[in-house]
Amino acid sequence: MDLKKLFYFVTIVDEGQITRAANRLHMGQPPLSMQLKALEDELGVILIKRNHKKFELTPAGETFYTRAKEVLNSIDAMVTEVREQQDGQRGKLAIGTVMSCLPYLPPILKIFKDNYPHISFQLLEEDSRRIEELLQNREIELGIVRLPLQTKEMTDMRNLSIYPIQSEPLVAVQPSNGTFFKGKTISIKELENQPLMVLRGQGDYNVFHRFVETCNSFGFNPKIICESLDVTTLMTLADSGLGIAIVPKIALQIRTSESLSFAEIVPNVNSETALIWIEHRHLSQAAQNFKDILINHIK
């Protein structure tokens, strides 16, 4: 099938009108209408119902539009891949990260920037579930998330590559002049009846659930007064004296203020982080280089 016919058809659908599509393609309306008719004759189906000024895709037309877009996007990706294989030195790299994982990035970005000074970055800060969606939608190429990833959608897809980065303990955070704890550790039983503020994403199972389950295993339900996607919000509220924030230890690096003190929770309630990408999908040379640098840095 002539790829030009696919392009014409997609343009017609995108514009919602043959006249506007013809103007966009810098061609006359009659030749474009003939191209559409030739495509329908070739397929043996009606793709677009045309009744006076009304314009409506048939079910077959909707399916063909979706597949045609995939073909055209695949060709664009092929051209991009070939060009990037030649140098991989320029462009923009889109990465998604959970806010509490942000401290992992600066040393990696510094190494990458030293080696590839003409690559710019787009950083999207979301929760783990949203980062998975951004990957599937091709809005980012790499994501740094907290495990486990147990959403039903991702389990069904079975096309996600996961590279573990680090496991770290959860900590309790209070103002530096707080009196609830003094040492470097705190027993989880001591958190019973304390007002707690816990990091919580939108997934089926995350840091929040792991913490609650651990409390339950010690015979109590935690008194949670606040849940938030934003770890900086939790630490700010802890600084105000509202309650005790429960966050991954590395998140403390986000807040440079010395107004907070923390203690590791015993027994450890660990949170794992990982680098994720779509398996078998082409990564730009910039994304591949970044992935290699991060993995080598971890090793």
Side-chain angles (χ1 to χ4, degrees):
M1 180 173 289
D2 186 353
L3 289 176
K4 187 174 289 187
K5 287 195 181 86
L6 298 186
F7 180 66
Y8 287 161
F9 174 71
V10 168
T11 303
I12 291 171
V13 177
D14 287 344
E15 291 297 324
Q17 189 185 77
I18 292 180
T19 301
R20 286 200 298 265
N23 290 334
R24 175 175 162 184
L25 293 167
H26 304 292
M27 62 187 297
Q29 180 179 335
L32 184 57
S33 296
M34 291 176 60
Q35 288 286 343
L36 176 59
K37 181 65 167 59
L39 178 61
E40 291 177 325
D41 290 344
E42 183 174 349
L43 293 170
V45 299
I46 299 299
L47 298 173
I48 298 175
K49 292 181 181 178
R50 301 179 286 283
N51 183 13
H52 299 293
K53 293 184 178 180
K54 291 186 178 180
F55 177 101
E56 182 181 355
L57 279 175
T58 65
E62 291 178 355
T63 299
F64 192 76
Y65 173 74
T66 299
R67 298 305 184 192
K69 289 274 286 188
E70 291 176 355
V71 171
L72 295 175
N73 287 338
S74 177
I75 292 172
D76 288 341
M78 175 186 67
V79 173
T80 300
E81 181 177 351
V82 170
R83 288 173 176 169
E84 287 180 342
Q85 283 179 345
Q86 185 170 343
D87 56 29
Q89 299 294 318
R90 295 181 181 276
K92 179 185 292 184
L93 174 58
I95 302 172
T97 181
V98 174
M99 173 64 78
S100 59
C101 294
L102 193 60
Y104 288 113
L105 282 176
I108 309 300
L109 293 178
K110 178 65 167 61
I111 296 172
F112 184 89
K113 199 64 179 173
D114 288 344
N115 286 276
Y116 305 99
H118 300 296
I119 300 291
S120 61
F121 295 96
Q122 181 183 16
L123 295 179
L124 284 78
E125 298 165 6
E126 300 283 354
D127 76 325
S128 296
R129 187 170 190 171
R130 176 60 180 149
I131 288 173
E132 296 166 16
E133 294 175 356
L134 292 174
L135 277 175
Q136 294 295 338
N137 295 336
R138 299 177 182 268
E139 294 180 55
I140 60 174
E141 292 191 86
L142 301 169
I144 299 178
V145 298
R146 293 206 170 273
L147 300 178
L149 300 174
Q150 293 189 356
T151 61
K152 182 180 185 301
E153 293 86 353
M154 295 311 300
T155 300
D156 291 346
M157 287 175 187
R158 301 179 186 278
N159 64 347
L160 200 67
S161 291
I162 302 175
Y163 188 91
I165 296 177
Q166 185 171 319
S167 178
E168 59 194 81
L170 295 184
V171 296
V173 181
Q174 68 176 1
S176 58
N177 60 358
T179 58
F180 176 57
F181 54 80
K182 295 294 185 182
K184 295 182 179 180
T185 61
I186 180 172
S187 167
I188 197 166
K189 282 288 290 182
E190 295 180 67
L191 297 175
E192 186 174 5
N193 299 322
Q194 294 298 319
L196 304 177
M197 302 176 292
V198 187
L199 185 67
R200 181 168 189 170
Q202 296 179 3
D204 299 332
Y205 189 90
N206 49 52
V207 169
F208 177 89
H209 302 89
R210 183 171 295 173
F211 173 73
V212 171
E213 285 181 358
T214 304
C215 292
N216 292 162
S217 70
F218 279 83
F220 71 96
N221 288 317
K223 182 182 177 182
I224 298 175
I225 64 169
C226 179
E227 306 165 19
S228 177
L229 294 169
D230 192 338
V231 70
T232 57
T233 296
L234 295 177
M235 290 190 289
T236 299
L237 293 176
D239 195 5
S240 73
L242 181 63
I244 306 298
I246 306 297
V247 301
K249 186 176 182 179
I250 196 170
L252 296 168
Q253 296 181 25
I254 298 175
R255 190 180 174 96
T256 57
S257 171
E258 297 181 356
S259 61
L260 297 174
S261 64
F262 70 92
E264 288 190 16
I265 299 171
V266 179
N268 284 348
V269 184
N270 288 327
S271 175
E272 289 77 34
T273 56
L275 176 70
I276 62 174
W277 63 95
I278 302 299
E279 189 176 7
H280 304 312
R281 178 184 292 174
H282 168 68
L283 285 179
S284 69
Q285 192 61 50
Q288 186 62 52
N289 292 340
F290 182 89
K291 180 165 73 76
D292 293 342
I293 288 174
L294 187 147
I295 290 175
N296 289 333
H297 184 80
I298 293 168
K299 289 179 179 179

